[in-house]
Amino acid sequence: MAAAPVWSVDPRTGKQREQVADEATPQEVDAAVRAAHDARASLADRAVRAAFLRSAADQLEVAKDALVETADAETALGPVRLGGELARTCYQLRAFAAIVDEGAFLDVVINHPDDTATPPIPDLRRYKVPLGVVAVYSASNFPFAFSVAGGDTASALAAGNPVVVKAHPDHPALSELVAKVIRRAAAAHGIPDGVLGLVHGFEAGVELIKHPLVAAAGFTGSIRGGRALFDAAAARPTPIPFHGELGSLNPVVVTEAAATERAEAIGTGLAGSMTLGVGQFCVKPGLVLVPSGAAGDGLVKSLTDAVSDTDAGVLLDHRMRDNFIAGVAERARLADVESPVTPGAGGEHTVSPGFLTVPAARLAAEGEHDLLLEECFGPVTVVVRYEDDAEVTSVLSRLPGNLTATVQLSEAEAAGEGRGADLLAEVTPLAGRVLVNGWPTGVAVAAAQHHGGPYPATTSTSTSVGGTAIERWMRPVVYQTTPAALLPVELRDENELGLPRRFNGVLER
């Protein structure tokens, strides 16, 4: 049976643009994984890896115009947004190159023998090594930063692992172009093309997670798809780590004092955050607790005005558009749910932003209103009107894990008065990033960043953004009583590589 063709599709019209490739057969997936496995040795030298990552960033910048044009044709995200995302992607690659150069990610620890310890300590030398071939599943909503050359790929390569990417069907032509650019950068450093494999098709993604030479996987997408792959990774004869980002409501709590103090600003800020990128951000605020009464009414009015002035937009594909329209309609039919600005279909290929309101009491116990506690991808949020602090606590106690949680406090509460500290304590168990008087959209690529959270936000405790994302793709190894001549150079006393390390209990920089 012939493989199904892979088409590039214009989301603005729903029409096919060009045939890009064919869906990969099991044999082609196997060939891609084996080529990646064979490329492992080419990444062994840290200096070569760092130079490769920098060259990849340089080459992406050279190809910027063609890449952005192709990305816009497949995603309708616009040249400005896509240009910024490509810049972020290049920054990530260079940031990981700097991490590779520094070497602290190897986590070198050396203990000389100590017979006076209880029990005695033998000669022990520990560092981290790459896992092997990493499977990366691209995201729809970030065609650069969470795709072929995105954070999962960059961090895996930085750790010394070759990668096989399962391309997202929403931007297959872009995926092919980016893969060519990265391979061109690899060739400049004597690294074979197999270091970055690319496959298309749903079945190819299933075959990839099952392949015995795949050592770990990274995923960004839906709860349903991510959970299926997570289960497959765990069900293998040799289970592998699966670092998945699956879904998040990103709750926001607005205190009564904050709403009284700056209702208009909070409403406007919320509108901007929930409609940014047509609501297609994984950190979109999807559930907002707002007080009942005059203060909350003012916030809702501000939100209404701002969202009403926001144009309809194009989602990444028509399947997402259909799901969005059906999802908001199903939610709007629930008892006591109102639509101050009705979200749904815009034009033939667009959607209009909006928001729903519901009394907090409707979410106090299990029932049909639990649908409001599930992420709805697109430009919509749910405003939950609460009567008192007890209702806030009740709703928060029913939320699953999230990438972010935000509290909007008054000036006095932010200074330590009132309920601010208690609210932070309530939301911290729910999320990996906690914000005060800000909005969660926008995830800085920084050393201190954490982009993850309790399940189902992610399937592990690690981050997919920032320098520590590299830790996902490594494992520690200890050498005991090993002669110096047989030790990896990173673990020898002389430290000729100048690595940061802990040497007999002392941190050396």
Side-chain angles (χ1 to χ4, degrees):
M1 184 176 179
V6 175
W7 290 87
S8 174
V9 177
D10 185 344
R12 295 180 175 95
T13 64
K15 295 181 179 179
Q16 294 176 339
R17 296 176 59 248
E18 59 180 317
Q19 183 178 344
V20 174
D22 289 327
E23 293 188 356
T25 64
Q27 293 77 18
E28 289 168 334
V29 173
D30 178 66
V33 174
R34 292 188 182 279
H37 185 74
D38 291 344
R40 289 173 301 154
S42 67
L43 295 175
D45 188 308
R46 285 193 302 121
V48 171
R49 291 209 304 271
F52 166 37
L53 292 170
R54 291 190 175 96
S55 292
D58 293 343
Q59 292 290 335
L60 287 169
E61 288 176 339
V62 169
K64 174 182 176 180
D65 291 345
L67 293 173
V68 168
E69 181 181 358
T70 302
D72 185 44
E74 292 188 313
T75 67
L77 290 173
V80 174
R81 149 72 196 272
L82 290 166
E85 188 185 329
L86 179 57
R88 167 195 170 134
T89 302
C90 295
Y91 176 84
Q92 283 184 147
L93 287 162
R94 293 188 176 111
F96 279 114
I99 288 170
V100 173
D101 281 338
E102 180 194 59
F105 74 102
L106 293 170
D107 198 18
V108 175
V109 182
I110 295 175
N111 282 122
H112 284 166
D114 183 357
D115 291 336
T116 68
T118 305
I121 298 173
D123 188 271
L124 297 171
R125 295 160 190 262
R126 178 189 190 272
Y127 78 152
K128 292 180 179 176
V129 298
L131 291 176
V133 179
V134 172
V136 170
Y137 293 80
S138 295
S140 61
N141 55 341
F142 282 89
F144 290 118
F146 283 84
S147 188
V148 175
D152 284 351
T153 297
S155 57
L157 291 172
N161 303 278
V163 172
V164 178
V165 178
K166 190 276 182 186
H168 197 281
D170 281 349
H171 35 83
L174 177 66
S175 298
E176 289 287 340
L177 282 179
V178 172
K180 288 178 182 177
V181 171
I182 302 304
R183 289 169 184 154
R184 187 159 60 241
H189 300 280
I191 299 172
D193 285 354
V195 75
L196 181 71
L198 181 68
V199 297
H200 298 268
F202 175 81
E203 292 300 331
V206 175
E207 291 293 327
L208 185 59
I209 199 70
K210 293 179 178 179
H211 198 288
L213 293 181
V214 168
F219 171 91
T220 303
S222 68
I223 293 178
R224 180 180 178 184
R227 184 54 194 256
L229 291 171
F230 178 51
D231 291 346
R236 291 168 36 128
T238 302
I240 59 172
F242 182 86
H243 300 283
E245 180 190 321
L246 310 188
S248 184
L249 272 176
N250 306 299
V252 178
V253 180
V254 182
T255 67
E256 184 170 8
T260 300
E261 191 172 88
R262 47 195 175 88
E264 183 175 355
I266 294 174
T268 302
L270 172 57
S273 185
M274 59 153 286
T275 61
L276 185 66
V278 202
Q280 298 174 110
F281 281 68
C282 52
V283 288
K284 177 200 75 176
L287 188 83
V288 186
L289 288 119
V290 172
S292 298
D297 291 344
L299 190 159
V300 171
K301 182 182 184 306
S302 173
L303 178 62
T304 299
D305 292 343
V307 173
S308 297
D309 288 340
T310 303
D311 294 335
V314 178
L315 294 183
L316 291 160
D317 62 42
H318 278 59
R319 175 186 57 81
M320 291 182 187
R321 181 179 181 273
D322 292 343
N323 289 341
F324 173 76
I325 293 169
V328 294
E330 185 179 6
R331 288 162 172 80
R333 287 194 294 268
L334 295 172
D336 291 333
V337 171
E338 298 180 357
S339 303
V341 182
T342 302
E348 184 180 357
H349 303 288
T350 61
V351 296
S352 296
F355 69 98
L356 310 174
T357 64
V358 65
R362 283 291 187 178
L363 299 175
E366 289 187 15
E368 63 179 4
H369 285 76
D370 283 1
L371 181 62
L372 300 174
L373 304 180
E374 298 177 11
E375 180 183 16
C376 186
F377 195 71
V380 64
T381 195
V382 176
V383 175
V384 181
R385 303 298 299 270
Y386 66 86
E387 297 293 338
D388 52 35
D389 293 344
E391 285 196 335
V392 173
T393 297
S394 176
V395 173
L396 292 177
S397 71
R398 304 203 58 236
L399 297 186
N402 292 271
L403 294 170
T404 73
T406 301
V407 293
Q408 295 287 342
L409 306 177
S410 68
E411 186 175 345
E413 289 169 329
E417 300 177 19
R419 181 161 157 70
D422 290 340
L423 264 182
L424 282 181
E426 282 192 68
V427 301
T428 295
L430 297 176
R433 179 161 60 103
V434 176
L435 298 91
V436 177
N437 291 351
W439 298 105
T441 39
V443 184
V445 181
Q449 185 59 273
H450 184 81
H451 188 63
Y455 185 85
T458 53
T459 59
S460 68
T461 59
S462 59
T463 180
S464 61
V465 178
T468 53
I470 198 172
E471 296 172 359
R472 297 173 295 168
W473 317 121
M474 308 190 78
R475 66 179 182 88
V477 174
V478 173
Y479 289 87
Q480 181 170 332
T481 59
T482 303
L486 301 181
L487 284 170
V489 65
E490 293 88 350
L491 296 181
R492 295 174 185 170
D493 283 355
E494 297 79 12
N495 196 14
E496 58 193 80
L497 299 178
L499 294 170
R501 63 183 187 174
R502 188 169 292 279
F503 191 82
N504 287 329
V506 177
L507 185 62
E508 297 181 346
R509 299 187 183 278

